[in-house]
């Protein structure tokens, strides 16, 4: 199960629609799209998204993270660090994302899952995950979050400044 997490927002919408058009037909995965207002995507692209589960405005994301084998983050535009990347690290997930999705994060993208910027790269890596399954819980991802991005880690960094 691959999950895309994000609110109904142009960079998110553009990225996941690109992924569904250019990557999904070439891989055998179950796709879930989860996020605030994302049911509007089905209104925008009803035919394209007819076989994809979309969960909009979930009160608790924990069950969706628990079910996901891989977080797919095809984000091509934006600025700053992406919260979806931090949340995926926090939940110890395998993450396959673009350079933009990992912007500002100090992680080894190969250990997290992988960095892909083209349809061919996403297809190759997702097919590799399908042929060589990894555990749903990525310890490296979780440890990277705890070391660098958790509340305690950030407080310690601030203490080091002052």
């Amino acid at each position: 199960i691959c999950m895309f997490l994000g609110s109904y927002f142009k960079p998110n919408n553009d990225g996941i629609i690109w992924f569904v058009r250019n990557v999904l037909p070439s891989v055998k995965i179950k796709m879930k799209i989860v996020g605030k207002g994302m049911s509007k995507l089905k209104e925008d692209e009803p035919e394209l998204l007819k076989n994809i589960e979309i969960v909009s405005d979930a009160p608790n994301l924990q069950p969706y993270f628990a079910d996901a084998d891989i977080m797919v983050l095809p984000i091509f535009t934006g600025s700053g660090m992406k919260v979806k990347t931090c949340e995926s690290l926090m939940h110890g997930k395998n993450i396959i994302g673009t350079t933009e999705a990992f912007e500002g994060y100090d992680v080894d993208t190969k250990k997290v899952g992988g960095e892909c910027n083209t349809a061919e790269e996403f297809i190759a890596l997702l097919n590799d995950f399908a042929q060589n399954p990894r555990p749903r819980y990525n310890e490296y991802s979780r440890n990277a979050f705890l070391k660098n991005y958790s509340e305690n880690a950030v407080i310690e960094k601030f203490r080091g400044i002052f």
Side-chain angles (χ1 to χ4, degrees), residues 4 6-15 36-38 41 77-78 84:
F4 175 82
S7 62
Y8 187 82
F9 174 64
K10 185 167 176 33
N12 290 335
N13 303 351
D14 291 348
K36 183 168 178 54
M38 289 307 259
L41 274 181
T77 60
K84 63 179 68 11

Side-chain angles (χ1 to χ4, degrees), residues 17 23 27 36 50 55 81 97:
I17 294 298
V23 177
V27 293
K36 183 168 178 54
K50 67 182 177 188
V55 178
M81 296 170 75

Side-chain angles (χ1 to χ4, degrees), residues 49-70:
L49 301 173
K50 67 182 177 188
N51 296 319
I52 296 175
E53 181 179 354
I54 298 178
V55 178
S56 201
D57 306 315
N60 180 5
L61 296 176
Q62 179 61 37
Y64 301 101
F65 275 110
D67 284 345
D69 295 294
I70 305 166

Side-chain angles (χ1 to χ4, degrees), residues 115-136:
E115 185 174 318
C116 301
N117 292 295
T118 67
E120 295 76 20
E121 291 171 338
F122 273 99
I123 291 165
L125 190 53
L126 285 166
N127 283 332
D128 184 62
F129 264 78
Q131 293 168 359
N132 305 293
R134 281 77 155 177
R136 276 189 178 159

Side-chain angles (χ1 to χ4, degrees), residues 5 34 38 45 70 97 109 128 137:
L5 175 67
V34 180
M38 289 307 259
E45 297 282 350
I70 305 166
T109 56
D128 184 62
Y137 184 77

